[in-house]
Amino acid sequence: MRFAIGDTDFLLDGEPHRVLSGAIHYFRVHPDLWQDRIRKAKLMGLNTVETYVAWNAHAPRPGEFDLTGGLDLGRFLDLVAAEGMHAIVRPGPYICAEWTNGGLPYWLFTDGTVGVRRDEPGFLAAVQDYLEQLAPVLVPRQIDHGGPIVLVQVENEYGAYGSDPVYLTKLEQMHRDIGLTVPFTSVDQPMGTMLEDGSLPSLHKTGSFGSRSAARLERLRQAQPTGPLMCSEFWDGWFDSWGEHHHTTPAVDSAADLDVLLAAGGSVNVYMFHGGTNFGFTNGANDKGVYRPIATSYDYDAPLDEAGRPTDKFHAFRAVIERYAPVPPLPASMQPGGSGRLSADGSGLEARPAPATDVAVRLDRVASLRSLLPALTGWTTHDEPPTFDALGAASGFALYRTEVDLPTGGVLTVGDEVRDRAVVTVDGVVVGVLEREHHDRAIALPPVTGTLELLVEDQGRVDYGPRIGEPKGLLGGVAVDGVPVARWSASPLALDPIAPAALAQLAETAPTDGDVLAGPVFAVGSFELAEPGDRYLSLDGFRKGVAWVNGFCLGRYWSRGPQRTLAVPGPVLRAGRNEVVVFEVHAAASRRVCLLVEPNLGHTEG
């Protein structure tokens, strides 16, 4: 088969073809659930699935490239093909996606010489290697090789970042050189000169917007007089940041804008069809003068919610799509009021399980962070606090330690910036917190002769704008009363996954009484399930930290919200005994957590 760009339409074997796509990021969904999510996209009336490729997920360290398990992009694309659907792949190299560092590996920029998203030899050489690693996955899965891929996007919203046709030309040629032959696209917002700045005549321009469809398409047509109109990011919701509200958009309004888009003959990629979750430490952040880390949930108020269940938006969009294209019959379980689950064969005629109930779990085994440090750390010594990047840490937590003699106390200052949050302790007693969001750089220390520690958390690398690629940690050194503090020991904490030795120590910890927790502390509890299924971990009374179930890192929690629960994918759970581990940085008013049947993503605006 052949897929091409015609004067007015996309062409599939020479015939006009409308792309009806939905975004599913394989790296935000448990791999055992990929087939379910893809099948549901087809049931909404879509004929295509789109995904970014997260370079930094596949290449966590130099010289590594992982295409296994939850990163098996080839398997994901094969599942798309098995449903008789097409695929759009967006390998970047930059993807934004509210994903840490916009998908770029942190290690690219550790020596300060490699450019970011520009015509610079070091950056382009790394991109070349990345694309060559992807070639065996993508090339044979193009439609003209019998696979599902019909479009590949080059870069991502580049017009919002820069205007460098030389860079884009070299990037496009790299994609061609690895054997990609399908049409190439670009995407930008139809505002100002972004469409022109972010593309080339050889790239088919598409738009990104979620409202005012008629006006946006008119601007797109102005920038590109011929070819099919396409919104390749039709924003049907939005992401959440910690400390803000949970974003929702009325289904009726989004459906109306989709209707206008399709009535104009446009193709679409619904962003997102299913958002999923920023498991582990993968969330990104924004910094437009104030640093804002993105929440763990990426529900996005999408047609499928975080657990893969159809929402009102699913049914509203399906009703619009069936005016323009045939849609398959909807199984009873997918009808409004149904379970939202499909049977293994996709018929929707699953045996009805017993109603699930909430499960309370007492965290009866407790171990301080300090007691687990030998299992979680590998100390190195430095004249000044090293960055996370210098320590080889992409994300998470790092501990900085030094000895001080301050008989009358003093004022600790960080030279440039705290990235992103530091808990300051002296001799094991918490003094306070320095937060990047608050532009904190100074804190008063009490009299102490002993150990000064800073537990620093990377809360998410910036994924959009000029601060992409910046290092993490204590930037600019640390001083007390203006005198630089030297002779530091530093180590990342081995938390994703948790070091096996730490888990073994936790397993041997005896249960204790008590109803509260004083952090930094780990707490562990066990619970029984008759049947596994998607659940949501509620940590009411806890303040800030990270949680795991059966060794799977669910991600960060924070009492400032908006989200009040963490998604626990059904495949992570098992019938019988399960275990939850919580790392609480501050303190908890309770040692009880709950596995809930329903999520709580927090308050909405208004």
Side-chain angles (χ1 to χ4, degrees), residues 21-29 34 38 48-54 58 70 72-78 80 86-92 95 97 130 134 137-138 148-149 151-153 155-156 232-233 269-275:
S21 177
I24 305 172
H25 298 157
Y26 62 96
F27 46 87
R28 281 187 162 118
V29 181
W34 287 347
I38 294 166
T48 306
V49 169
E50 174 270 316
T51 185
Y52 282 125
V53 180
H58 291 279
D72 191 345
L73 175 59
R75 176 175 171 263
F76 179 81
L77 293 172
D78 291 344
V80 172
H86 294 148
I88 299 171
V89 179
R90 302 203 281 172
I95 63 172
Y130 163 56
L134 286 180
V137 177
L138 301 183
I149 300 173
L151 293 170
V152 169
Q153 181 182 293
E155 249 280 356
N156 186 63
S232 61
E233 282 193 23
N269 176 54
V270 174
Y271 190 100
M272 297 290 298
F273 169 70
H274 171 57

Side-chain angles (χ1 to χ4, degrees), residues 211-282:
S211 61
R212 298 178 59 198
S213 293
R216 303 305 190 199
L217 291 176
E218 181 180 355
R219 175 67 183 91
L220 181 57
R221 179 55 78 207
Q222 180 187 21
Q224 185 169 253
T226 63
L229 293 167
M230 182 173 185
C231 176
S232 61
E233 282 193 23
F234 179 74
W235 303 324
D236 58 357
W238 206 246
F239 59 90
D240 294 342
S241 297
W242 292 113
E244 299 180 357
H245 64 274
H246 172 50
H247 291 80
T248 60
T249 56
V252 63
D253 292 350
S254 291
D257 275 304
L258 177 62
D259 197 10
V260 171
L261 197 165
L262 297 183
S267 288
V268 68
N269 176 54
V270 174
Y271 190 100
M272 297 290 298
F273 169 70
H274 171 57
T277 308
N278 295 315
F279 294 117
F281 301 117
T282 58

